[in-house]
Amino acid sequence: MSLLMNVLRRTGAGVNRLGRALAPSDAAWNGATKALLLWILVLIGVFGFYDMLADFWIGKLLGFLVILGIVLVATLVVQLLYWQFSIQPLSWRLTSLVAVLLGTLYGMALWGPPMGFVPPLVMVLALSLTFGSLAALRATGWRPLRSIPTLVGLGAGLLGLASGAWFIIQPPEDVNPWLETYVFEDRTLDLPNPGAPGDYTIETASYGSGTDRHRGEFAKAATWKTRSVDGSKLVDRWSGAVGWARTKYWGFDAAELPVQGRVWMPKAGEGGKGPFPLVLIVHGNHGMEDFSDPGYAYLGEHFASRGIITVSVDENFLNSSTADIINPLEGGIGPENDARGWMLLKHLQQWRDWNADPKHPLHDLVDMQHIALIGHSRGGEAVAVAAAINGLKHYPDDASEVFDFGFNLAGVIAIAPVDGQYNPRAKPKALEKISYFVIHGSMDGDVQSFMGLSQGSRVDIRGAGESFKGSYYVEGANHGQFNTRWGRFDYGRPMGWLFNTKDIMDAEEQRQIAKVSFSAFLEAVLKDNRAYLPLLGDPRKGAAWLPDQYILANLVTGGRQLIADYEEDMEVTTTSFAMAEIAAANLTKWREEWASLKWAPLDTHVAVLAWDAEVEQDTASYGFEWTAGSLKLGEDATFVFAAADAGEGTKPKGWESPEGKDEEDEAADAKEDVQEDKPIEPLDWTLVLTDVYGNEARLALSHDAALYPQVKAHTRKLEMLASIEKSELVWRRFAFPVKDFMVANPDIQPTALVSLRFEFDKSKAGAIAIDDFGIE
């Protein structure tokens, strides 16, 4: 017993001596504290320089001070909770907590919880170790041999700083190595380039309240004066300290929202006297003091040269500001996308009045039967809101607000939109019998999920033969370059410095894609010229007009005879068309599910199919069979469907290989192959068309195009910390004309067709999602 007590005493004494030897000296704590204090000043200074000095006003300063106040209060609360358990000096505890909390504000915005907490914590520890160790060495007269623990601390601190710097400055990995083999095939339509300027001379104008405090073109220099509108029932949080600050800056409140816009017009008499179609463009959320509406001049000029009156609408007063943090419990006036959409319709009311007024210069110059809306980011949802409430008699959230709109909206374009901020009656917005086009970029660092696909799924064009809906997903495009004022950084600096801008495409090329695709859309919906419509479903139809960029496109027309959209029931063999059914064999996966994007549901059911030659030796197949003569078929018909790589493994549940690997092991191996940049082959299979006489015609999927893997993106540096998925399901349209099958087998009878099946005979394994199989 005495021996055990002696050992325990000696062990305790040794631990105490070790603790005293390793305990930082006062000089070390002072050095660490000073380093952290300097780091805090750097964070505050950089944020203040980029956010405060740009468009400075007192509201920004107050909001900034509130942020600092919250950080200091949180620091004191944490300090009080654990001070009695801590051996660190008070000065270091306070500065370290302030530094971590300030850094976390950046980290959470960039990488999300919980990993957004890691970089500021590592930075605090590395700075403390590095400069604390240096201060300790200095205090001992720079005698390192007597300060081995200090040298270890210095090495650890420098390693932490160097590792962080290395992760930030290293080139991003190539997450889409298969793009090296992709060829943007030229199938350009025999038509003039819709991305080229038109023949009209452009006239510019502006309209506004006449009293705008910050922009002369909406004040005394406004071409036409407008009446303000009362939006207080739609913007219900323009109140309190936040409302006071906004009113202080703008000079008005929610009851007097100005109707203001920049106008580009074709000069009447040159190629036509009018009336001209009308397009309104609205920006999304951005710092309200950094005005967003001038950023679409490139579209305004382009459309006007092609005979379309274009307006860039001012809704900057609905945008956010650092001043909103004056009341951190509210955080601004949002959600406000219903107000953004309503404002667009109030603009159209103003244009309707001008067009009807014989005394106004715009009298009879506007074709109010051909109107389209374009919106970016929150504006992308706003245009959908405008289309949804356009035909209503009352505001859904407050029926005392009476509507009198009813405009002939022919089409809506959404640029990298959000979705779901405004859901009347707590249901997602559904649109009917209106054409819809959405564009998004894989390198979008703000709206990181293709949310516009969800809204597109809820656009019902069945039976609307002239209506259509389409999408472009542009590899390399970001959020901001669609607006020349927003640019390459999808977050403002200094946070923008931590974005991966290397993989973002050239700004002018990104905007060229917008000009070409938007013009093709507007030609169809505003000028009844559908010749460019194929371009929206297949960018190769405009390869000569577009940059050499990978673009995933989908197009669905209102005249499509749907055979399967997977919305009918739970039985996987039934179809949307009553006289058809589905048959399959040897698949390793076969299910119908409610698909999801990174951030939200896709709002549609899809079929998920997988095959794997290692599991099933016989060729897998999946096909559609229908009663002869039940569909409108002939040599001019085209079979169409949307498909995407499913982004999942091909092994069935419960499967185990001869080597003892299960489906999870195989999925991990496949992921490792991608990380090691092993070649990834695009998927290919055979489409087999059969007629009632047993004749078969076969075409490879690659007759149209092979199916490539999901596009991955690293929008941020230190991407390994991000909580969001790197890719998501994005549709590509596939089209197979019956005439092409007839070339493959001249005996096939186009009016007597009874089935089309997929034979998965080319790629050994694959997992896909398909939707909207039908005939156009």
Side-chain angles (χ1 to χ4, degrees):
M1 185 68 179
S2 60
L3 178 61
L4 177 61
M5 293 299 296
N6 188 40
V7 170
L8 290 176
R9 279 195 298 269
R10 288 177 177 273
T11 301
V15 170
N16 288 333
R17 286 194 299 271
L18 180 62
R20 287 193 297 272
L22 295 178
S25 63
D26 290 342
W29 286 118
N30 288 336
T33 300
K34 290 177 181 177
L36 293 179
L37 184 59
L38 179 61
W39 176 240
I40 292 169
L41 294 176
V42 168
L43 289 176
I44 294 174
V46 170
F47 182 84
F49 178 80
Y50 282 103
D51 187 73
M52 303 304 309
L53 295 184
D55 309 302
F56 176 81
W57 67 289
I58 190 65
K60 274 190 168 186
L61 177 60
L62 293 175
F64 185 56
L65 292 176
V66 168
I67 293 175
L68 294 181
I70 292 172
V71 169
L72 291 176
V73 169
T75 297
L76 293 175
V77 169
V78 174
Q79 165 63 19
L80 290 173
L81 289 176
Y82 92 111
W83 70 272
Q84 57 184 330
F85 305 106
S86 177
I87 62 172
Q88 300 92 359
L90 176 62
S91 59
W92 183 86
R93 293 201 303 269
L94 292 175
T95 52
S96 63
L97 283 170
V98 170
V100 168
L101 290 172
L102 277 176
T104 299
L105 294 178
Y106 292 94
M108 291 301 179
L110 285 165
W111 299 290
M115 299 306 290
F117 176 73
V118 172
L121 181 62
V122 171
M123 189 69 176
V124 165
L125 292 175
L127 286 173
S128 296
L129 286 170
T130 300
F131 290 93
S133 299
L134 289 173
L137 286 172
R138 182 173 181 271
T140 61
W142 304 102
R143 288 176 287 189
L145 293 179
R146 297 185 180 181
S147 309
I148 300 301
T150 304
L151 289 178
V152 172
L154 177 60
L158 290 174
L159 179 62
L161 293 176
S163 299
W166 183 80
F167 278 117
I168 289 174
I169 65 175
Q170 70 166 329
E173 64 174 318
D174 183 6
V175 292
N176 299 304
W178 49 267
L179 277 175
E180 295 179 4
T181 65
Y182 173 74
V183 177
F184 191 22
E185 185 182 352
D186 190 349
R187 299 184 183 181
T188 304
L189 299 169
D190 186 17
L191 293 168
N193 179 4
D199 298 328
Y200 285 93
T201 300
I202 303 169
E203 296 183 320
T204 59
S206 64
Y207 59 89
S209 63
T211 59
D212 191 280
R213 288 183 173 183
H214 306 287
R215 293 156 295 177
E217 57 269 36
F218 300 146
K220 292 183 179 179
T223 311
W224 307 298
K225 301 298 191 296
T226 57
R227 301 180 301 273
S228 297
V229 296
D230 184 357
S232 55
K233 292 179 181 178
L234 292 93
V235 187
D236 52 12
R237 289 170 61 182
W238 194 310
S239 59
V242 172
W244 168 83
R246 283 181 171 269
T247 301
K248 187 77 174 174
Y249 181 80
W250 291 108
F252 55 81
D253 59 16
E256 295 181 309
L257 300 180
V259 177
Q260 304 185 149
R262 304 171 188 271
V263 184
W264 296 266
M265 299 175 57
K267 188 174 182 180
E270 296 185 7
K273 298 180 180 180
F276 300 106
L278 176 63
V279 169
L280 302 187
I281 306 174
V282 64
H283 57 82
N285 193 43
H286 190 67
M288 71 179 189
E289 302 89 355
D290 182 21
F291 310 124
S292 297
D293 53 295
Y296 305 105
Y298 74 100
L299 291 177
E301 294 169 358
H302 182 67
F303 297 154
S305 76
R306 300 179 65 84
I308 300 172
I309 298 172
T310 309
V311 183
S312 182
V313 170
D314 168 36
E315 293 189 4
N316 291 283
F317 46 83
L318 295 177
N319 280 357
S320 60
S321 170
T322 303
D324 292 336
I325 306 172
I326 290 176
N327 183 348
L329 297 179
E330 291 187 0
I333 62 172
E336 77 299 326
N337 279 356
D338 51 341
R340 292 177 188 267
W342 174 81
M343 280 299 302
L344 289 172
L345 298 175
K346 301 305 284 186
H347 276 257
L348 290 180
Q349 280 187 330
Q350 180 66 76
W351 279 89
R352 181 169 60 189
D353 291 346
W354 284 334
N355 196 53
D357 184 357
K359 298 180 180 180
H360 199 277
L362 294 172
H363 176 59
D364 280 347
L365 283 180
V366 188
D367 181 0
M368 297 300 293
Q369 298 305 308
H370 290 90
I371 301 171
L373 305 177
I374 302 176
H376 188 181
S377 196
R378 291 193 192 182
E381 181 176 8
V383 293
V385 170
I389 68 175
N390 177 51
L392 302 182
K393 296 180 179 179
H394 301 273
Y395 176 42
D397 294 357
D398 185 346
S400 65
E401 177 69 29
V402 179
F403 290 166
D404 180 25
F405 302 130
F407 297 102
N408 189 41
L409 298 181
V412 165
I413 296 176
I415 307 170
V418 300
D419 180 55
Q421 193 204 75
Y422 177 63
N423 287 328
R425 301 200 309 172
K427 291 185 177 181
K429 299 172 295 300
L431 306 180
E432 294 183 355
K433 295 178 173 59
I434 188 172
S435 294
Y436 181 85
F437 182 73
V438 60
I439 189 170
H440 204 98
S442 69
M443 289 298 294
D444 192 317
D446 186 2
V447 183
Q448 297 179 64
S449 180
F450 196 173
M451 303 183 78
L453 283 184
S454 299
Q455 179 62 73
S457 297
R458 302 193 304 271
V459 177
D460 186 0
I461 56 173
R462 289 173 297 181
E466 296 301 311
S467 297
F468 59 90
K469 55 183 180 180
S471 61
Y472 267 19
Y473 187 69
V474 184
E475 189 274 327
N478 79 334
H479 193 78
Q481 290 182 163
F482 289 113
N483 181 307
T484 58
R485 293 292 296 268
W486 295 0
R488 204 165 181 82
F489 293 102
D490 285 344
Y491 281 12
R493 285 164 286 192
M495 282 190 291
W497 292 336
L498 291 174
F499 274 65
N500 171 23
T501 58
K502 179 181 178 295
D503 291 338
I504 296 175
M505 66 184 298
D506 176 76
E508 288 301 321
E509 291 186 347
Q510 181 171 329
R511 289 191 279 271
Q512 178 67 10
I513 294 174
K515 288 194 290 186
V516 169
S517 58
F518 295 178
S519 292
F521 178 90
L522 296 177
E523 285 287 326
V525 302
L526 299 184
K527 300 182 179 181
D528 301 321
N529 175 15
R530 299 172 69 85
Y532 289 100
L533 196 55
L535 168 63
L536 298 181
D538 186 350
R540 295 172 299 182
K541 303 290 188 182
W545 312 324
L546 295 167
D548 185 5
Q549 204 74 17
Y550 183 69
I551 304 173
L552 280 167
N554 190 33
L555 179 69
V556 180
T557 63
R560 179 178 296 189
Q561 298 180 73
L562 272 175
I563 296 175
D565 66 0
Y566 306 105
E567 303 297 336
E568 62 281 342
D569 55 36
M570 293 187 293
E571 174 56 56
V572 294
T573 61
T574 58
T575 63
S576 312
F577 181 61
M579 302 183 73
E581 63 180 2
I582 294 171
N586 305 316
L587 294 170
T588 56
K589 292 182 180 180
W590 177 17
R591 67 180 187 272
E592 295 177 6
E593 67 179 17
W594 190 245
S596 295
L597 299 169
K598 294 177 185 177
W599 284 358
L602 182 55
D603 279 347
T604 187
H605 288 90
V606 306
V608 177
L609 314 173
W611 68 97
D612 194 314
E614 186 178 358
V615 179
E616 294 284 353
Q617 301 301 314
D618 294 330
T619 301
S621 65
Y622 178 88
F624 306 90
E625 302 171 352
W626 56 88
T627 303
S630 61
L631 293 170
K632 296 177 181 179
L633 287 167
E635 63 181 37
D636 292 329
T638 298
F639 288 95
V640 289
F641 58 93
D645 185 295
E648 62 179 68
T650 60
K651 300 297 191 292
K653 290 182 179 179
W655 179 85
E656 186 171 312
S657 72
E659 294 82 15
K661 294 183 178 181
D662 60 18
E663 71 275 10
E664 293 184 1
D665 296 328
E666 293 287 340
D669 288 345
K671 185 175 182 181
E672 185 178 343
D673 288 346
V674 173
Q675 292 173 343
E676 293 177 359
D677 289 347
K678 291 184 178 179
I680 301 175
E681 295 294 330
L683 297 178
D684 200 2
W685 61 85
T686 300
L687 283 77
V688 183
L689 186 63
T690 307
D691 65 18
V692 71
Y693 307 107
N695 297 310
E696 290 187 347
R698 308 171 71 88
L699 292 175
L701 182 76
S702 53
H703 176 77
D704 183 348
L707 182 62
Y708 283 85
Q710 291 185 5
V711 176
K712 296 185 177 182
H714 284 179
T715 62
R716 287 146 169 75
K717 298 175 180 179
L718 298 172
E719 188 70 22
M720 75 288 291
L721 300 177
S723 57
I724 192 170
E725 294 290 333
K726 304 300 185 293
S727 66
E728 61 188 345
L729 188 152
V730 178
W731 295 123
R732 188 203 188 281
R733 182 180 191 265
F734 288 88
F736 291 86
V738 170
K739 287 182 179 179
D740 291 6
F741 285 103
M742 294 173 66
V743 172
N745 182 1
D747 293 333
I748 197 83
Q749 299 299 308
T751 59
L753 303 174
V754 293
S755 72
L756 189 147
R757 71 179 182 274
F758 300 160
E759 285 192 357
F760 301 109
D761 55 350
K762 294 184 177 296
S763 299
K764 292 182 178 180
I768 63 172
I770 61 172
D771 198 11
D772 292 333
F773 178 85
I775 301 165
E776 290 179 356

